[in-house]
Structure formats: C-alpha cells, structure tokens
Amino acid sequence: MRDLKLGAVESRFAEIIWNNEPIASGKLVKLCEKELNWKKPTTYTVLRKLCERGIFQNENGVVSSKIKKDEFHAIQSEQFIDEAFEGSLPSFLAAFSKRKSLSKKDIEEIQNMINSCKEE
C-alpha cells in the first residue's frame, strides 16, 4: 500500500480540488491565491507533487482526482490502524472508547457495519 499522507497545507489544497473538480488549472490557481495566499508557481509545484504521488491528474489543463476523497480517507485510515495498532481494528476501537464513550447511535452504526460485513 502506498503512503498517501498529506501535510496540513497539502490537505487544504486537496480539499480545494475535491470540492471543485474537475477544475481548470487557471481557476485552481485563482482559488489557491484567494484561499491559501499562494502564487501561481506554488500551486503548480504542489499540484505536480500530488500528481506524481497518484492522487490527482492534470490533463489538458483540467485538474481532477485519481483517488476520490472518500477512498483517500479510507486508505489513510487503514494505514493509521496498520501503523499504530498492528492492523487490529478491535485494538483501535478499544483505545478510542477508553477516552471517549460511544453513544447509542455510534454503537448501532458500528453494529450495522459489522452485520453488513457478515452478510458479504
């Protein structure tokens, strides 16, 4: 599994793309100038790096994602559990619930997810 970690600024940039895709690269430059206070070269440098990492693509001046936002977050979640909890989801949930109690709604949603996995 490839490493898809993003820094705070890269995450803000990615959100701009995901929220506006497909987006013309010129419009992306203007959005980044407004929202991140970036100059054109900064936008293109960060875009190039994220394209090289396989997250986005810039084809004919139109920027879009190669990995959709929900898929990206799912991959990041898997990586976190693999690294921090040796791949054990139960260990993660045990650690999480020690500091934050689960609501009845949370428990029902988790139970529904477990039930749907059993059906598959």
Side-chain angles (χ1 to χ4, degrees):
M1 184 182 331
R2 60 189 156 168
D3 184 19
L4 295 179
K5 292 180 182 161
L6 296 179
V9 175
E10 288 176 325
S11 292
R12 288 179 59 203
F13 179 68
E15 288 292 333
I16 291 170
I17 296 173
W18 281 318
N19 291 335
N20 294 282
E21 72 174 312
I23 183 170
S25 59
K27 185 175 179 184
L28 179 61
V29 167
K30 287 182 175 136
L31 277 173
C32 290
E33 183 178 3
K34 178 183 173 191
E35 295 186 27
L36 302 172
N37 201 28
W38 285 2
K39 303 279 186 215
K40 182 178 178 178
T42 304
T43 299
Y44 281 114
T45 297
V46 176
L47 177 60
R48 180 182 44 79
K49 288 179 181 180
L50 296 184
C51 287
E52 289 171 355
R53 289 166 60 189
I55 301 169
F56 297 107
Q57 59 189 359
N58 184 3
E59 295 188 358
N60 301 317
V62 177
V63 179
S64 61
S65 62
K66 291 179 90 172
I67 301 175
K68 297 297 179 198
K69 183 178 179 178
D70 58 342
E71 180 184 355
F72 178 82
H73 290 302
I75 292 167
Q76 281 193 317
S77 298
E78 287 175 38
Q79 287 177 343
F80 175 75
I81 290 171
D82 286 346
E83 293 169 7
F85 298 94
E86 298 177 354
S88 172
L89 183 58
S91 294
F92 166 76
L93 288 172
F96 181 86
S97 61
K98 279 184 183 176
R99 301 221 3 131
K100 182 179 184 209
S101 56
L102 298 174
S103 70
K104 185 176 181 178
K105 182 181 177 194
D106 291 336
I107 293 168
E108 287 174 3
E109 288 180 21
I110 293 169
Q111 188 61 55
N112 287 338
M113 286 188 282
I114 293 168
N115 291 341
S116 69
C117 289
K118 284 181 182 178
E119 294 170 5
E120 294 174 4

